[in-house]
Amino acid sequence: DQQVKQNSPSLSVQEGRISILNCDYTNSMFDYFLWYKKYPAEGPTFLISISSIKDKNEDGRFTVFLNKSAKHLSLHIVPSQPGDSAVYFCAAAANFGNEKLTFGTGTRLTIIP
Amino acid sequence: DAGVTQSPTHLIKTRGQQVTLRCSPKSGHDTVSWYQQALGQGPQFIFQYYEEEERQRGNFPDRFSGHQFPNYSSELNVNALLLGDSALYLCASSLAGPGTHQYTFGSGTRLTVV
């Protein structure tokens, strides 16, 4: 049972435009959400997170939006840069503190120069 | 500042054999989690160690076991290897306490079972 779903395996975006990556979850116990970026031959690196008490969190070019009623979150990257090309994983956790992460299957983002 | 270090980087084993993977956490971190990432999938939680004890466990059989040492480093052991155990094994470290979800991941050990 896939509790965190990323339905788009891949996404291509022109450099300078907005990249929007989507994630859906089914477990109502999840209340903390994260995005990780992964380059080949490297481990995932933390990008941005959001708690269920918020509906938006912004960090530079990256913004995460959370719609609790729809159990949906999205990551916006503006403007997209070639270095953003990577696999992006959405992850979720219950409670707040060192709980296990449940990951989606990832979306491969390719930024076209 | 050294991040999470995993060894070896690559490993080839035969079905039925046993394997040990090692992880040194980021300096200042005291909690180690292990994840398995099969090809085309997201990482799946195996277990987490804190204060040398298994604190949480995912849906993995008893063939998967671990250990944490007093210096916070950790080992993942897999017995009676199956072809399906072929995957990237990721170690993640963190500091125990509320609000800690920002794990630091290592680059992983690529295990191939033949």
Side-chain angles (χ1 to χ4, degrees):
Chain A
D1 176 30
Q2 193 74 24
Q3 297 186 58
V4 177
K5 300 177 186 178
Q6 294 178 255
N7 292 319
S8 298
S10 63
L11 176 68
S12 294
V13 175
Q14 288 285 132
E15 181 179 358
R17 307 294 285 268
I18 183 172
S19 295
I20 300 176
L21 294 90
N22 293 302
C23 177
D24 298 292
Y25 64 97
T26 58
N27 190 336
S28 299
M29 296 299 292
F30 290 146
D31 61 6
Y32 197 80
F33 304 91
L34 309 89
W35 286 92
Y36 281 85
K37 178 168 75 171
K38 188 178 187 299
Y39 294 119
E42 295 184 14
T45 55
F46 171 76
L47 200 55
I48 192 169
S49 62
I50 188 167
S51 161
S52 60
I53 61 174
K54 295 185 175 181
D55 55 17
K56 176 183 174 181
N57 188 27
E58 199 169 349
D59 184 2
R61 298 186 297 115
F62 302 92
T63 303
V64 56
F65 295 92
L66 175 62
N67 183 332
K68 281 189 66 180
S69 61
K71 292 189 175 67
H72 176 83
L73 62 155
S74 61
L75 173 68
H76 293 210
I77 306 174
V78 182
S80 300
Q81 299 175 353
D84 296 330
S85 294
V87 177
Y88 288 78
F89 290 100
C90 170
N95 300 322
F96 198 52
N98 253 335
E99 294 299 318
K100 67 176 183 179
L101 297 177
T102 300
F103 284 85
T105 53
T107 296
R108 181 176 300 279
L109 175 65
T110 302
I111 306 302
I112 304 165
Chain B
D1 177 23
V4 176
T5 305
Q6 291 187 244
S7 62
T9 54
H10 295 84
L11 202 53
I12 300 176
K13 288 287 189 178
T14 304
R15 262 184 311 175
Q17 283 188 318
Q18 179 263 347
V19 69
T20 298
L21 310 182
R22 295 176 175 84
C23 172
S24 292
K26 180 179 177 179
S27 177
H29 285 180
D30 57 8
T31 302
V32 173
S33 303
W34 288 91
Y35 289 79
Q36 179 197 66
Q37 186 181 9
L39 200 61
Q41 302 295 317
Q44 299 270 326
F45 176 76
I46 303 175
F47 42 53
Q48 182 183 84
Y49 277 84
Y50 170 67
E51 292 189 335
E52 302 179 48
E53 292 191 357
E54 184 181 289
R55 183 173 170 270
Q56 301 178 66
R57 189 178 182 92
N59 189 24
F60 278 81
D62 292 343
R63 298 187 296 109
F64 289 77
S65 63
H67 189 77
Q68 185 180 35
F69 299 93
N71 66 353
Y72 308 121
S73 67
S74 177
E75 289 182 348
L76 163 65
N77 301 293
V78 187
N79 293 323
L81 284 167
L82 304 174
L83 295 180
D85 295 330
S86 296
L88 179 68
Y89 288 84
L90 294 164
C91 172
S93 72
S94 56
L95 183 62
T100 305
H101 281 112
Q102 297 176 15
Y103 302 103
T104 301
F105 281 84
S107 298
T109 293
R110 171 74 60 189
L111 173 64
T112 302
V113 182
V114 298

mmCIF file with all atom_site columns, all heavy atoms in Angstrom, chain A residues 70-87:
data_model
loop_
_atom_site.group_PDB
_atom_site.id
_atom_site.type_symbol
_atom_site.label_atom_id
_atom_site.label_alt_id
_atom_site.label_comp_id
_atom_site.label_asym_id
_atom_site.label_entity_id
_atom_site.label_seq_id
_atom_site.pdbx_PDB_ins_code
_atom_site.Cartn_x
_atom_site.Cartn_y
_atom_site.Cartn_z
_atom_site.occupancy
_atom_site.B_iso_or_equiv
_atom_site.pdbx_formal_charge
_atom_site.auth_seq_id
_atom_site.auth_comp_id
_atom_site.auth_asym_id
_atom_site.auth_atom_id
_atom_site.pdbx_PDB_model_num
ATOM 1   N N   . ALA A 1 70 ? -7.200 17.889 0.947   1.00 0.00 ? 70 ALA A N   1
ATOM 2   C CA  . ALA A 1 70 ? -7.022 17.080 -0.257  1.00 0.00 ? 70 ALA A CA  1
ATOM 3   C C   . ALA A 1 70 ? -5.895 16.069 -0.099  1.00 0.00 ? 70 ALA A C   1
ATOM 4   O O   . ALA A 1 70 ? -5.658 15.258 -1.007  1.00 0.00 ? 70 ALA A O   1
ATOM 5   C CB  . ALA A 1 70 ? -6.743 17.974 -1.457  1.00 0.00 ? 70 ALA A CB  1
ATOM 6   N N   . LYS A 1 71 ? -5.188 16.121 1.013   1.00 0.00 ? 71 LYS A N   1
ATOM 7   C CA  . LYS A 1 71 ? -4.024 15.263 1.252   1.00 0.00 ? 71 LYS A CA  1
ATOM 8   C C   . LYS A 1 71 ? -3.050 15.390 0.070   1.00 0.00 ? 71 LYS A C   1
ATOM 9   O O   . LYS A 1 71 ? -2.625 14.387 -0.535  1.00 0.00 ? 71 LYS A O   1
ATOM 10  C CB  . LYS A 1 71 ? -4.441 13.821 1.468   1.00 0.00 ? 71 LYS A CB  1
ATOM 11  C CG  . LYS A 1 71 ? -5.199 13.585 2.767   1.00 0.00 ? 71 LYS A CG  1
ATOM 12  C CD  . LYS A 1 71 ? -5.386 12.090 3.029   1.00 0.00 ? 71 LYS A CD  1
ATOM 13  C CE  . LYS A 1 71 ? -6.026 11.827 4.370   1.00 0.00 ? 71 LYS A CE  1
ATOM 14  N NZ  . LYS A 1 71 ? -7.418 12.320 4.416   1.00 0.00 ? 71 LYS A NZ  1
ATOM 15  N N   . HIS A 1 72 ? -2.700 16.605 -0.223  1.00 0.00 ? 72 HIS A N   1
ATOM 16  C CA  . HIS A 1 72 ? -1.876 16.894 -1.387  1.00 0.00 ? 72 HIS A CA  1
ATOM 17  C C   . HIS A 1 72 ? -0.846 17.962 -1.044  1.00 0.00 ? 72 HIS A C   1
ATOM 18  O O   . HIS A 1 72 ? -1.145 18.938 -0.338  1.00 0.00 ? 72 HIS A O   1
ATOM 19  C CB  . HIS A 1 72 ? -2.762 17.396 -2.539  1.00 0.00 ? 72 HIS A CB  1
ATOM 20  C CG  . HIS A 1 72 ? -2.001 17.803 -3.761  1.00 0.00 ? 72 HIS A CG  1
ATOM 21  N ND1 . HIS A 1 72 ? -1.583 16.903 -4.720  1.00 0.00 ? 72 HIS A ND1 1
ATOM 22  C CD2 . HIS A 1 72 ? -1.560 19.018 -4.165  1.00 0.00 ? 72 HIS A CD2 1
ATOM 23  C CE1 . HIS A 1 72 ? -0.938 17.544 -5.676  1.00 0.00 ? 72 HIS A CE1 1
ATOM 24  N NE2 . HIS A 1 72 ? -0.913 18.826 -5.365  1.00 0.00 ? 72 HIS A NE2 1
ATOM 25  N N   . LEU A 1 73 ? 0.362  17.773 -1.527  1.00 0.00 ? 73 LEU A N   1
ATOM 26  C CA  . LEU A 1 73 ? 1.350  18.827 -1.414  1.00 0.00 ? 73 LEU A CA  1
ATOM 27  C C   . LEU A 1 73 ? 2.091  18.977 -2.733  1.00 0.00 ? 73 LEU A C   1
ATOM 28  O O   . LEU A 1 73 ? 2.103  18.055 -3.556  1.00 0.00 ? 73 LEU A O   1
ATOM 29  C CB  . LEU A 1 73 ? 2.333  18.598 -0.260  1.00 0.00 ? 73 LEU A CB  1
ATOM 30  C CG  . LEU A 1 73 ? 3.244  17.398 -0.218  1.00 0.00 ? 73 LEU A CG  1
ATOM 31  C CD1 . LEU A 1 73 ? 4.466  17.729 0.626   1.00 0.00 ? 73 LEU A CD1 1
ATOM 32  C CD2 . LEU A 1 73 ? 2.548  16.205 0.397   1.00 0.00 ? 73 LEU A CD2 1
ATOM 33  N N   . SER A 1 74 ? 2.645  20.173 -2.910  1.00 0.00 ? 74 SER A N   1
ATOM 34  C CA  . SER A 1 74 ? 3.378  20.429 -4.137  1.00 0.00 ? 74 SER A CA  1
ATOM 35  C C   . SER A 1 74 ? 4.623  21.243 -3.826  1.00 0.00 ? 74 SER A C   1
ATOM 36  O O   . SER A 1 74 ? 4.670  21.988 -2.836  1.00 0.00 ? 74 SER A O   1
ATOM 37  C CB  . SER A 1 74 ? 2.495  21.156 -5.156  1.00 0.00 ? 74 SER A CB  1
ATOM 38  O OG  . SER A 1 74 ? 2.061  22.399 -4.657  1.00 0.00 ? 74 SER A OG  1
ATOM 39  N N   . LEU A 1 75 ? 5.612  21.062 -4.669  1.00 0.00 ? 75 LEU A N   1
ATOM 40  C CA  . LEU A 1 75 ? 6.864  21.808 -4.574  1.00 0.00 ? 75 LEU A CA  1
ATOM 41  C C   . LEU A 1 75 ? 6.980  22.674 -5.819  1.00 0.00 ? 75 LEU A C   1
ATOM 42  O O   . LEU A 1 75 ? 6.899  22.157 -6.934  1.00 0.00 ? 75 LEU A O   1
ATOM 43  C CB  . LEU A 1 75 ? 8.052  20.851 -4.490  1.00 0.00 ? 75 LEU A CB  1
ATOM 44  C CG  . LEU A 1 75 ? 9.436  21.486 -4.545  1.00 0.00 ? 75 LEU A CG  1
ATOM 45  C CD1 . LEU A 1 75 ? 9.696  22.318 -3.286  1.00 0.00 ? 75 LEU A CD1 1
ATOM 46  C CD2 . LEU A 1 75 ? 10.523 20.421 -4.714  1.00 0.00 ? 75 LEU A CD2 1
ATOM 47  N N   . HIS A 1 76 ? 7.161  23.969 -5.606  1.00 0.00 ? 76 HIS A N   1
ATOM 48  C CA  . HIS A 1 76 ? 7.348  24.902 -6.706  1.00 0.00 ? 76 HIS A CA  1
ATOM 49  C C   . HIS A 1 76 ? 8.791  25.389 -6.703  1.00 0.00 ? 76 HIS A C   1
ATOM 50  O O   . HIS A 1 76 ? 9.303  25.797 -5.650  1.00 0.00 ? 76 HIS A O   1
ATOM 51  C CB  . HIS A 1 76 ? 6.400  26.103 -6.580  1.00 0.00 ? 76 HIS A CB  1
ATOM 52  C CG  . HIS A 1 76 ? 4.956  25.751 -6.742  1.00 0.00 ? 76 HIS A CG  1
ATOM 53  N ND1 . HIS A 1 76 ? 4.041  26.633 -7.260  1.00 0.00 ? 76 HIS A ND1 1
ATOM 54  C CD2 . HIS A 1 76 ? 4.272  24.607 -6.481  1.00 0.00 ? 76 HIS A CD2 1
ATOM 55  C CE1 . HIS A 1 76 ? 2.840  26.070 -7.300  1.00 0.00 ? 76 HIS A CE1 1
ATOM 56  N NE2 . HIS A 1 76 ? 2.964  24.835 -6.832  1.00 0.00 ? 76 HIS A NE2 1
ATOM 57  N N   . ILE A 1 77 ? 9.394  25.375 -7.873  1.00 0.00 ? 77 ILE A N   1
ATOM 58  C CA  . ILE A 1 77 ? 10.758 25.874 -8.024  1.00 0.00 ? 77 ILE A CA  1
ATOM 59  C C   . ILE A 1 77 ? 10.716 26.997 -9.051  1.00 0.00 ? 77 ILE A C   1
ATOM 60  O O   . ILE A 1 77 ? 10.351 26.773 -10.208 1.00 0.00 ? 77 ILE A O   1
ATOM 61  C CB  . ILE A 1 77 ? 11.713 24.761 -8.508  1.00 0.00 ? 77 ILE A CB  1
ATOM 62  C CG1 . ILE A 1 77 ? 11.639 23.539 -7.578  1.00 0.00 ? 77 ILE A CG1 1
ATOM 63  C CG2 . ILE A 1 77 ? 13.144 25.298 -8.559  1.00 0.00 ? 77 ILE A CG2 1
ATOM 64  C CD1 . ILE A 1 77 ? 12.444 22.343 -8.085  1.00 0.00 ? 77 ILE A CD1 1
ATOM 65  N N   . VAL A 1 78 ? 11.056 28.214 -8.598  1.00 0.00 ? 78 VAL A N   1
ATOM 66  C CA  . VAL A 1 78 ? 11.008 29.371 -9.483  1.00 0.00 ? 78 VAL A CA  1
ATOM 67  C C   . VAL A 1 78 ? 12.202 30.296 -9.235  1.00 0.00 ? 78 VAL A C   1
ATOM 68  O O   . VAL A 1 78 ? 12.386 30.711 -8.085  1.00 0.00 ? 78 VAL A O   1
ATOM 69  C CB  . VAL A 1 78 ? 9.707  30.193 -9.267  1.00 0.00 ? 78 VAL A CB  1
ATOM 70  C CG1 . VAL A 1 78 ? 9.664  31.364 -10.248 1.00 0.00 ? 78 VAL A CG1 1
ATOM 71  C CG2 . VAL A 1 78 ? 8.476  29.325 -9.439  1.00 0.00 ? 78 VAL A CG2 1
ATOM 72  N N   . PRO A 1 79 ? 12.983 30.675 -10.250 1.00 0.00 ? 79 PRO A N   1
ATOM 73  C CA  . PRO A 1 79 ? 12.978 30.089 -11.582 1.00 0.00 ? 79 PRO A CA  1
ATOM 74  C C   . PRO A 1 79 ? 13.773 28.789 -11.596 1.00 0.00 ? 79 PRO A C   1
ATOM 75  O O   . PRO A 1 79 ? 14.701 28.605 -10.795 1.00 0.00 ? 79 PRO A O   1
ATOM 76  C CB  . PRO A 1 79 ? 13.680 31.154 -12.419 1.00 0.00 ? 79 PRO A CB  1
ATOM 77  C CG  . PRO A 1 79 ? 14.659 31.764 -11.452 1.00 0.00 ? 79 PRO A CG  1
ATOM 78  C CD  . PRO A 1 79 ? 13.985 31.736 -10.103 1.00 0.00 ? 79 PRO A CD  1
ATOM 79  N N   . SER A 1 80 ? 13.457 27.881 -12.470 1.00 0.00 ? 80 SER A N   1
ATOM 80  C CA  . SER A 1 80 ? 14.173 26.611 -12.570 1.00 0.00 ? 80 SER A CA  1
ATOM 81  C C   . SER A 1 80 ? 15.544 26.829 -13.197 1.00 0.00 ? 80 SER A C   1
ATOM 82  O O   . SER A 1 80 ? 15.697 27.616 -14.134 1.00 0.00 ? 80 SER A O   1
ATOM 83  C CB  . SER A 1 80 ? 13.365 25.624 -13.427 1.00 0.00 ? 80 SER A CB  1
ATOM 84  O OG  . SER A 1 80 ? 12.100 25.385 -12.838 1.00 0.00 ? 80 SER A OG  1
ATOM 85  N N   . GLN A 1 81 ? 16.534 26.106 -12.659 1.00 0.00 ? 81 GLN A N   1
ATOM 86  C CA  . GLN A 1 81 ? 17.908 26.221 -13.144 1.00 0.00 ? 81 GLN A CA  1
ATOM 87  C C   . GLN A 1 81 ? 18.415 24.833 -13.534 1.00 0.00 ? 81 GLN A C   1
ATOM 88  O O   . GLN A 1 81 ? 17.948 23.827 -12.994 1.00 0.00 ? 81 GLN A O   1
ATOM 89  C CB  . GLN A 1 81 ? 18.796 26.814 -12.045 1.00 0.00 ? 81 GLN A CB  1
ATOM 90  C CG  . GLN A 1 81 ? 18.380 28.207 -11.602 1.00 0.00 ? 81 GLN A CG  1
ATOM 91  C CD  . GLN A 1 81 ? 19.194 28.721 -10.429 1.00 0.00 ? 81 GLN A CD  1
ATOM 92  O OE1 . GLN A 1 81 ? 20.001 28.003 -9.833  1.00 0.00 ? 81 GLN A OE1 1
ATOM 93  N NE2 . GLN A 1 81 ? 18.983 30.000 -10.096 1.00 0.00 ? 81 GLN A NE2 1
ATOM 94  N N   . PRO A 1 82 ? 19.401 24.772 -14.434 1.00 0.00 ? 82 PRO A N   1
ATOM 95  C CA  . PRO A 1 82 ? 19.929 23.459 -14.853 1.00 0.00 ? 82 PRO A CA  1
ATOM 96  C C   . PRO A 1 82 ? 20.384 22.588 -13.685 1.00 0.00 ? 82 PRO A C   1
ATOM 97  O O   . PRO A 1 82 ? 20.210 21.364 -13.711 1.00 0.00 ? 82 PRO A O   1
ATOM 98  C CB  . PRO A 1 82 ? 21.101 23.827 -15.776 1.00 0.00 ? 82 PRO A CB  1
ATOM 99  C CG  . PRO A 1 82 ? 20.715 25.154 -16.329 1.00 0.00 ? 82 PRO A CG  1
ATOM 100 C CD  . PRO A 1 82 ? 19.992 25.863 -15.213 1.00 0.00 ? 82 PRO A CD  1
ATOM 101 N N   . GLY A 1 83 ? 20.934 23.196 -12.633 1.00 0.00 ? 83 GLY A N   1
ATOM 102 C CA  . GLY A 1 83 ? 21.381 22.431 -11.469 1.00 0.00 ? 83 GLY A CA  1
ATOM 103 C C   . GLY A 1 83 ? 20.243 21.805 -10.681 1.00 0.00 ? 83 GLY A C   1
ATOM 104 O O   . GLY A 1 83 ? 20.475 20.984 -9.797  1.00 0.00 ? 83 GLY A O   1
ATOM 105 N N   . ASP A 1 84 ? 19.011 22.180 -11.011 1.00 0.00 ? 84 ASP A N   1
ATOM 106 C CA  . ASP A 1 84 ? 17.853 21.582 -10.345 1.00 0.00 ? 84 ASP A CA  1
ATOM 107 C C   . ASP A 1 84 ? 17.511 20.208 -10.920 1.00 0.00 ? 84 ASP A C   1
ATOM 108 O O   . ASP A 1 84 ? 16.668 19.496 -10.361 1.00 0.00 ? 84 ASP A O   1
ATOM 109 C CB  . ASP A 1 84 ? 16.628 22.497 -10.470 1.00 0.00 ? 84 ASP A CB  1
ATOM 110 C CG  . ASP A 1 84 ? 16.809 23.829 -9.764  1.00 0.00 ? 84 ASP A CG  1
ATOM 111 O OD1 . ASP A 1 84 ? 17.545 23.877 -8.761  1.00 0.00 ? 84 ASP A OD1 1
ATOM 112 O OD2 . ASP A 1 84 ? 16.225 24.824 -10.240 1.00 0.00 ? 84 ASP A OD2 1
ATOM 113 N N   . SER A 1 85 ? 18.133 19.840 -12.017 1.00 0.00 ? 85 SER A N   1
ATOM 114 C CA  . SER A 1 85 ? 17.870 18.527 -12.615 1.00 0.00 ? 85 SER A CA  1
ATOM 115 C C   . SER A 1 85 ? 18.308 17.435 -11.647 1.00 0.00 ? 85 SER A C   1
ATOM 116 O O   . SER A 1 85 ? 19.488 17.340 -11.289 1.00 0.00 ? 85 SER A O   1
ATOM 117 C CB  . SER A 1 85 ? 18.629 18.387 -13.945 1.00 0.00 ? 85 SER A CB  1
ATOM 118 O OG  . SER A 1 85 ? 18.124 19.294 -14.903 1.00 0.00 ? 85 SER A OG  1
ATOM 119 N N   . ALA A 1 86 ? 17.369 16.632 -11.206 1.00 0.00 ? 86 ALA A N   1
ATOM 120 C CA  . ALA A 1 86 ? 17.618 15.603 -10.189 1.00 0.00 ? 86 ALA A CA  1
ATOM 121 C C   . ALA A 1 86 ? 16.323 14.813 -10.004 1.00 0.00 ? 86 ALA A C   1
ATOM 122 O O   . ALA A 1 86 ? 15.302 15.119 -10.621 1.00 0.00 ? 86 ALA A O   1
ATOM 123 C CB  . ALA A 1 86 ? 18.028 16.234 -8.865  1.00 0.00 ? 86 ALA A CB  1
ATOM 124 N N   . VAL A 1 87 ? 16.383 13.808 -9.141  1.00 0.00 ? 87 VAL A N   1
ATOM 125 C CA  . VAL A 1 87 ? 15.161 13.108 -8.732  1.00 0.00 ? 87 VAL A CA  1
ATOM 126 C C   . VAL A 1 87 ? 14.690 13.726 -7.419  1.00 0.00 ? 87 VAL A C   1
ATOM 127 O O   . VAL A 1 87 ? 15.480 13.892 -6.488  1.00 0.00 ? 87 VAL A O   1
ATOM 128 C CB  . VAL A 1 87 ? 15.402 11.597 -8.561  1.00 0.00 ? 87 VAL A CB  1
ATOM 129 C CG1 . VAL A 1 87 ? 14.130 10.914 -8.059  1.00 0.00 ? 87 VAL A CG1 1
ATOM 130 C CG2 . VAL A 1 87 ? 15.858 10.972 -9.881  1.00 0.00 ? 87 VAL A CG2 1
#
